[in-house]
Amino acid sequence: MKIRLAMVLRVLGFFLGGLVAVVAALAFLVWVSFDAERTAGALTQHFKDHYQRTLVLGKEPQLRVWPRPALVLRQASLSEPGRSEVFASAASVRLDLAPLALLARRHEILRVSLSGLQAHCVRARNGEWNLANLLAASTASVAPPPWQLHISEISLRGAALQVDDAGTGMQVEIQNLDADAQSVNKGVPGQLSWQGQWLDKAGAGDLEFKGQARYTLLKGLSAGTLDELSVRISGNGYGLQGAEARFTSERLGWGSQAAQGYLSKASFKLQGAAGAQAVSFSAAAPAFGWQSFRLQGEKLAASLTLRTVDAQTDFQLALPHLQESGQGFSTDGLDFAWQYKAGSEHGSQGKLNANLSADVQGNAYRLRDIKAEASLQHPRLHTPTARISVTGQAQWRASGGSDMTLDGALGEDKLRLQAQLSQLWPLSGRFELSASRLDLDRLVAEARPGTRLPPLQLPGFEQLSLNGKLKLGNLRVAGLNLNSLQSPLSVDKGVLTASGFTASLYGGQIGGELSAEGGSGRLGVQGDFNDLGLELLALEGGLPIPLSGRLSGSYKLATLLRADKQPLAELNGAVRWTLTNSAIRGVDLVRSLREFRPAIAAGKQSARSPVDAETTEIGVASSRFLLAGGKLQADTIQSRNSWLALSGAGSADLLRDELDFSLQASLLPGVTAMAARDLADLRSKPLPLRLKGPLLRPDVRYEPGAAPLKPLNQAKK
């Protein structure tokens, strides 16, 4: 028995050894008879005839027989179609061949391995890629290649792709790309996986990605499906740090070189940080498809959440039904909503409904039948919530910007906004805002300049570049009523400017220039005013001014509108003014002089406190007020009427409600014709008076021999 087994093993060994020798001899014969020049010529001619591309091989092709028969192409490059520019190059391309077919002098490719691939993928403005003809299926008019393709596996190692999209301007690099695809035969499901690094050439992105899917290819690479698609992305880029994203889809199908396709049960989730703000985004597309630029889908939804330590903002978008149109899509019932919350007292929320139509090919979008509502919560509002409703329409075109016409209702006030925007972000363009009436005081509590509540902080303007006009029939703000307000408006580099505004104010006119810096909160205003009714202006504006009359002059003022600052305490500037038909409110100088008569005769000091509503007519008065840190300084005050002349200087603390003015009074000859004729005997006497105390009702003092308050020096002027 042992002798028979040994004999069988010996015969089997001889047979296998002979078989190996025969295979080795055949492989050697194939290797020796391999014609590298003929193979290179066949490859070059095929790419020239079929794809109008030039294939260049830096080294002759090699046939290797171990560990598997393979054709190796080294230093290969392929040109753009019809041009000499290089489209792609590879350090090495290994084509594994079927052994039995090779023995019959036929080349049957089973596997493809590429290393060191570098490719430049370009998408033209018409949407066509420069690799489109490589992905297209063969046509009957083109001769078949001199080899058979039964590819079961493709391997890619260390690839680098440069992608330029002329339509969007995107330029990115994909580096260190590794990919494996199994079962590449047409119609046979296979497994695909890939990973790599995404670099934006503008420096906006540095991301790593990894994905996998089951795929089925149809008609070459121009059609197919990806099932159970999953892609993960991580890194920093496009304004986000530590970004983590995942895209999944039950199926991604494409055809006609991806000119048409569909997604089913697709979802995208993203988390990251933008500075101190946490970002969370998600989107879902249960059913979505495209054919060229025409789109369709069902129940598309997206949400975005922005969180900081003390605030959160939520956005939601829903497109219930997308219908394909000529070169895009349309949808009835677009819904958009947002909510912002900061603490228990600050916040806003709103919603918008509209019909959307889009020309994707022409990059034109139109919102029709806009209906929107918004509400604002703030502790400075009269009511817990201020509401505004908006209707109108808007459209955006990549070539011509955006046009919109919106009508708003803010309580009883009606507003209209018309705008032509060259870009939506950063916002840039022209606009016109108009209203017959706008009452801001009905919304904002105690916004008068004299109040000590912190102001509403100016919004940031850094991202805006706008020019426009403001037209208001009546504006009520800070207690003041301005009529026929018109002004050019511009926002640039974080500064809002109203240069050349005009308005009617209490029977007179006011004009000038206003500037507001959103970042610092600095507000500046300068200009001229003419024939204003000062008493009503001071009364309704809450201004502590003890004068009345018709006011004319010029002004240049600045303050800070910030939550941590009191505007009156930060007020700086100057006002040069003239009053006609003027009077001092809260003081009766005639009554005071009568009471001071004994003290005047004796040369002694005296004082009195006003009672009831006292006033003194002073005719024409003029001065210059300098304001700094909530304090007012006045020099060379002059006034004169038919019977009384006043001159002097003084100061006032607007925050403490204190006044201190030193005046030299002189009785004129006209006193004899007035009700104060009984004071005619005081005409030749010096009458030094001092007003000291509350702004609107100071004490009146007679101070003979007291040094008058000195005028401001030239440096302060």
Side-chain angles (χ1 to χ4, degrees):
M1 185 68 181
K2 292 182 179 179
I3 295 176
R4 291 180 180 178
L5 180 60
M7 185 178 296
V8 170
L9 292 176
R10 185 178 301 174
V11 172
L12 182 62
F14 284 144
F15 175 76
L16 292 177
L19 180 62
V20 169
V22 170
V23 171
L26 292 174
F28 178 75
L29 178 63
V30 170
W31 180 74
V32 170
S33 62
F34 176 72
D35 190 340
E37 183 177 350
R38 179 173 175 271
T39 301
L43 289 170
T44 302
Q45 191 65 37
H46 176 74
F47 278 95
K48 181 178 180 181
D49 294 341
H50 197 148
Y51 303 109
Q52 293 79 50
R53 296 173 183 261
T54 301
L55 176 66
V56 177
L57 300 177
K59 294 185 178 181
E60 290 186 347
Q62 288 185 342
L63 181 65
R64 297 179 180 177
V65 296
W66 185 261
R68 294 186 299 269
L71 178 64
V72 179
L73 310 178
R74 295 173 296 169
Q75 298 180 6
S77 65
L78 189 65
S79 73
E80 295 281 1
R83 306 203 312 269
S84 60
E85 292 88 347
V86 175
F87 159 68
S89 64
S92 173
V93 180
R94 180 185 175 96
L95 307 175
D96 287 1
L97 306 176
L100 295 180
L102 187 61
L103 293 176
R105 303 293 180 89
R106 290 184 292 105
H107 294 161
E108 182 179 335
I109 300 176
L110 301 180
R111 301 177 186 86
V112 178
S113 300
L114 294 94
S115 61
L117 173 66
Q118 295 186 354
H120 185 194
C121 302
V122 178
R123 181 175 182 264
R125 293 186 181 276
N126 61 3
E128 183 176 344
W129 288 90
N130 64 340
L131 72 164
N133 69 338
L134 292 175
L135 304 180
S138 300
T139 61
S141 61
V142 179
W147 55 80
Q148 295 180 348
L149 298 177
H150 294 93
I151 299 175
S152 61
E153 183 177 341
I154 295 178
S155 176
L156 191 65
R157 293 290 179 268
L161 305 180
Q162 180 177 332
V163 182
D164 293 339
D165 191 335
T168 62
M170 180 183 71
Q171 292 183 315
V172 298
E173 291 182 4
I174 301 176
Q175 297 183 355
N176 305 318
L177 176 63
D178 296 337
D180 292 287
Q182 301 173 355
S183 300
V184 191
N185 294 322
K186 183 191 303 183
V188 179
Q191 193 71 28
L192 175 67
S193 62
W194 64 91
Q195 63 181 9
Q197 186 179 14
W198 175 290
L199 295 175
D200 191 303
K201 294 183 70 174
D206 183 359
L207 305 170
E208 295 181 353
F209 58 88
K210 185 177 183 180
Q212 61 182 16
R214 290 189 305 107
Y215 69 91
T216 303
L217 296 180
L218 306 170
K219 298 180 181 180
L221 295 177
S222 64
T225 61
L226 293 177
D227 295 309
E228 300 177 10
L229 173 62
S230 176
V231 181
R232 293 182 179 271
I233 303 172
S234 62
N236 304 319
Y238 305 100
L240 294 178
Q241 297 82 42
E244 296 284 344
R246 183 181 183 185
F247 174 79
T248 61
S249 177
E250 184 179 84
R251 170 168 286 189
L252 165 62
W254 73 94
S256 302
Q257 305 171 19
Q260 62 184 30
Y262 63 91
L263 282 169
S264 62
K265 296 183 179 179
S267 67
F268 178 76
K269 294 183 178 180
L270 167 69
Q271 290 185 333
Q277 189 169 243
V279 179
S280 177
F281 175 79
S282 65
F288 178 76
W290 70 91
Q291 184 171 358
S292 185
F293 294 99
R294 299 189 297 275
L295 308 179
Q296 58 182 347
E298 298 287 341
K299 298 180 180 179
L300 307 182
S303 64
L304 172 65
T305 298
L306 307 175
R307 290 189 302 273
T308 60
V309 175
D310 54 0
Q312 177 170 321
T313 307
D314 297 297
F315 301 94
Q316 292 184 337
L317 174 66
L319 301 172
H321 181 64
L322 255 64
Q323 296 177 321
E324 68 175 53
S325 58
Q327 289 299 329
F329 67 91
S330 64
T331 178
D332 294 335
L334 174 149
D335 291 311
F336 174 75
W338 84 89
Q339 184 174 18
Y340 166 75
K341 196 70 176 176
S344 59
E345 295 183 320
H346 297 78
S348 66
Q349 59 185 4
K351 58 183 180 180
L352 178 147
N353 179 270
N355 298 326
L356 171 65
S357 58
D359 179 355
V360 179
Q361 184 179 21
N363 276 333
Y365 303 85
R366 183 180 180 188
L367 283 175
R368 298 172 286 106
D369 304 324
I370 295 174
K371 296 179 181 178
E373 295 180 355
S375 60
L376 175 69
Q377 298 88 40
H378 195 280
R380 285 287 301 277
L381 296 176
H382 277 304
T383 57
T385 302
R387 302 181 186 277
I388 184 172
S389 60
V390 177
T391 60
Q393 61 182 9
Q395 60 181 357
W396 179 82
R397 301 176 300 276
S399 59
S402 304
D403 298 327
M404 65 178 65
T405 300
L406 302 176
D407 294 308
L410 187 62
E412 299 177 0
D413 301 335
K414 309 297 182 183
L415 301 91
R416 165 160 284 206
L417 172 65
Q418 295 177 298
Q420 297 84 40
L421 304 177
S422 56
Q423 61 185 36
L424 295 180
W425 191 258
L427 201 61
S428 177
R430 299 189 60 81
F431 71 95
E432 180 176 304
L433 178 63
S434 59
S436 59
R437 183 172 182 269
L438 180 58
D439 189 349
L440 296 181
D441 285 353
R442 189 171 58 243
L443 299 174
V444 183
E446 301 185 49
R448 299 181 176 186
T451 61
R452 302 189 181 187
L453 289 175
L456 291 170
Q457 191 158 340
L458 289 173
F461 306 125
E462 289 78 6
Q463 300 295 328
L464 306 181
S465 179
L466 298 169
N467 288 281
K469 297 179 181 179
L470 178 66
K471 295 181 178 181
L472 300 177
N474 173 262
L475 172 65
R476 183 171 176 83
V477 58
L480 302 178
N481 275 292
L482 291 89
N483 297 310
S484 302
L485 174 61
Q486 297 191 37
S487 176
L489 287 180
S490 66
V491 182
D492 187 38
K493 298 180 180 179
V495 180
L496 181 148
T497 304
S499 180
F501 72 84
T502 60
S504 299
L505 182 63
Y506 300 108
Q509 297 289 322
I510 186 170
E513 178 179 330
L514 178 144
S515 64
E517 299 177 4
S520 65
R522 178 178 173 81
L523 176 68
V525 60
Q526 62 180 349
D528 303 300
F529 48 88
N530 183 53
D531 200 30
L532 307 184
L534 180 58
E535 184 174 3
L536 191 57
L537 170 69
L539 179 63
E540 294 193 354
L543 303 174
I545 300 177
L547 297 171
S548 64
R550 307 304 298 182
L551 181 67
S552 300
S554 61
Y555 60 95
K556 185 175 183 180
L557 303 170
T559 188
L560 289 177
L561 295 182
R562 286 179 17 193
D564 59 341
K565 300 292 183 180
Q566 164 58 269
L568 199 57
E570 302 298 325
L571 184 62
N572 293 277
V575 179
R576 189 181 297 276
W577 54 269
T578 298
L579 268 175
T580 58
N581 299 322
S582 59
I584 302 176
R585 296 186 294 126
V587 173
D588 187 342
L589 292 182
V590 173
R591 182 173 180 177
S592 298
L593 290 174
R594 285 172 178 161
E595 293 185 13
F596 293 158
R597 187 187 293 273
I600 295 172
K604 296 181 179 181
Q605 294 186 358
S606 184
R608 64 176 294 270
S609 297
V611 296
D612 301 327
E614 297 189 2
T615 184
T616 302
E617 295 182 359
I618 57 175
V620 177
S622 62
S623 184
R624 178 170 177 254
F625 288 170
L626 296 181
L627 299 107
K631 296 182 179 181
L632 178 151
Q633 294 281 355
D635 60 327
T636 61
I637 298 174
Q638 302 285 342
S639 74
R640 186 182 184 92
N641 60 16
S642 61
W643 66 275
L644 177 65
L646 297 173
S647 63
S651 64
D653 191 323
L654 304 180
L655 297 174
R656 293 185 174 184
D657 190 31
E658 294 179 353
L659 176 74
D660 189 2
F661 273 59
S662 179
L663 301 173
Q664 184 68 39
S666 301
L667 297 180
L668 303 178
V671 70
T672 57
M674 306 296 296
R677 63 177 62 91
D678 57 307
L679 299 176
D681 59 314
L682 300 179
R683 283 182 54 198
S684 59
K685 297 183 179 297
L687 301 173
L689 302 176
R690 190 171 187 179
L691 305 181
K692 186 174 178 63
L695 289 170
L696 297 181
R697 188 175 287 184
D699 291 343
V700 184
R701 301 180 182 182
Y702 173 71
E703 296 183 347
L709 296 178
K710 295 182 179 180
L712 299 178
N713 59 39
Q714 191 66 24
K716 288 188 178 181
K717 291 183 181 180

